Amino acid sequence: MSNDYFRFKQFTIKQGGAAFKVTTDSVILGAWTDLSEAETVLDIGTGTGLLALMAAQRSNSVITAIEPEKGSFEQAGKNISSSPWAGRISLLNFSLQDYVATTSEKFDLIISNPPYFTGSLLNPDRGKAMARHTTSLPAETLIEASLALLSEHGSLNLILPVEEGIRMTALAAKGGLYCNRKTYVKPMFHLDAKRILLSLGRTKCECAESTLVVETEKRHSYSKEYIELTREFYLDR
């Protein structure tokens, strides 16, 4: 059973009321994303509030976090309000579709660990189904909304399974968002990449490509690059 909380160096995530718990995927995305030029950030589907809080810790950005599922929204609110950065994070109980229809705000950076299941049966738990199945947020909708919400030099930052990431990159390019940075995430040195990190922007340029290995030859023996990437967050770094 998952713990009811997850303690990081500068904040704690309580997750009992959230449909989707803290994952390594989200921690990697939050640590990998380049926030150096971002004055405004949008976290789509914030869940527990993890990505919004990681962005707040790593920057001086003003952050908007949206979450459509009520239980997750309420849990994120508690986590954000108890953090050191509550004054810089606005939490809204909106789906992306509703939010983009009601705002004129532009963001320098959008971050999301989006739903990616496409062919599987829906989870009977509605909240979990929303968190992980594309029926709640199709890739096409995410791209279209990002084009409407991004500032001129803004970027969309995602983590996805490799196949879905390749599909997302192709769809985004058709709409006018181009991959400028990507990192393949391998669980261990000898295994194929299972995830891909993407940074997409309006400018078409050569995409910088790299690989991140999480563990070495055995479980919980972490690579030097993974330890360095997550050093600001995990208590044992």
Side-chain angles (χ1 to χ4, degrees):
M1 181 180 293
S2 298
N3 286 335
D4 184 54
Y5 67 92
F6 201 107
R7 197 178 304 282
F8 293 93
K9 283 184 176 178
Q10 295 191 40
F11 61 91
T12 297
I13 294 290
K14 293 184 178 179
Q15 53 186 3
F20 196 69
K21 313 304 182 186
V22 170
T23 65
T24 300
D25 284 3
S26 287
V27 175
I28 291 174
L29 175 61
W32 176 87
T33 297
D34 183 2
L35 290 151
S36 59
E37 303 295 327
E39 295 184 7
T40 54
V41 173
L42 175 65
D43 175 11
I44 297 173
T46 196
T48 60
L50 175 60
L51 288 175
L53 290 167
M54 291 182 76
Q57 179 180 322
R58 295 184 56 222
S59 72
N60 294 315
S61 306
V62 176
I63 299 160
T64 300
I66 60 174
E67 174 54 55
E69 200 274 318
K70 186 177 180 182
S72 297
F73 168 76
E74 292 175 350
Q75 185 69 85
K78 294 175 183 176
N79 291 332
I80 290 167
S81 65
S82 64
S83 79
W85 314 287
R88 285 197 283 121
I89 304 174
S90 299
L91 176 64
L92 303 173
N93 190 197
F94 277 107
S95 67
L96 177 59
Q97 294 90 328
D98 289 340
Y99 182 67
V100 74
T102 58
T103 187
S104 59
E105 190 167 358
K106 302 293 183 181
F107 295 90
D108 298 322
L109 188 140
I110 296 175
I111 190 168
S112 183
N113 181 0
Y116 53 77
F117 290 145
T118 55
S120 58
L121 292 175
L122 288 176
N123 193 301
D125 183 305
R126 182 175 178 274
K128 291 179 180 179
M130 287 179 66
R132 273 292 164 259
H133 205 285
T134 57
T135 54
S136 63
L137 182 59
E140 294 82 357
T141 300
L142 178 56
I143 293 165
E144 183 179 350
S146 296
L147 284 164
L149 293 167
L150 281 172
S151 61
E152 181 181 356
H153 300 292
S155 65
L156 170 63
N157 296 264
L158 309 168
I159 186 166
L160 288 162
V162 173
E163 288 188 8
E164 283 76 7
I166 292 170
R167 176 175 175 265
M168 177 71 78
T169 302
L171 283 171
K174 290 179 181 179
L177 283 179
Y178 306 99
C179 184
N180 51 63
R181 181 181 172 219
K182 65 181 174 183
T183 297
Y184 291 95
V185 182
K186 299 176 68 173
M188 290 185 176
F189 283 112
H190 63 284
L191 298 176
D192 292 336
K194 300 297 184 183
R195 296 288 186 268
I196 187 170
L197 293 150
L198 299 171
S199 182
L200 309 168
R202 299 183 193 275
T203 302
K204 194 172 186 179
C205 61
E206 185 175 353
C207 182
E209 184 175 323
S210 62
T211 300
L212 171 69
V213 176
V214 177
E215 296 175 317
T216 55
E217 295 83 10
K218 59 182 180 179
R219 291 284 291 158
H220 307 303
S221 174
Y222 297 104
S223 70
K224 290 181 180 179
E225 61 262 39
Y226 179 73
I227 291 171
E228 187 58 35
L229 180 68
T230 59
R231 188 180 299 279
E232 293 180 62
F233 301 100
Y234 285 131
L235 292 172
D236 60 352
R237 301 292 189 263

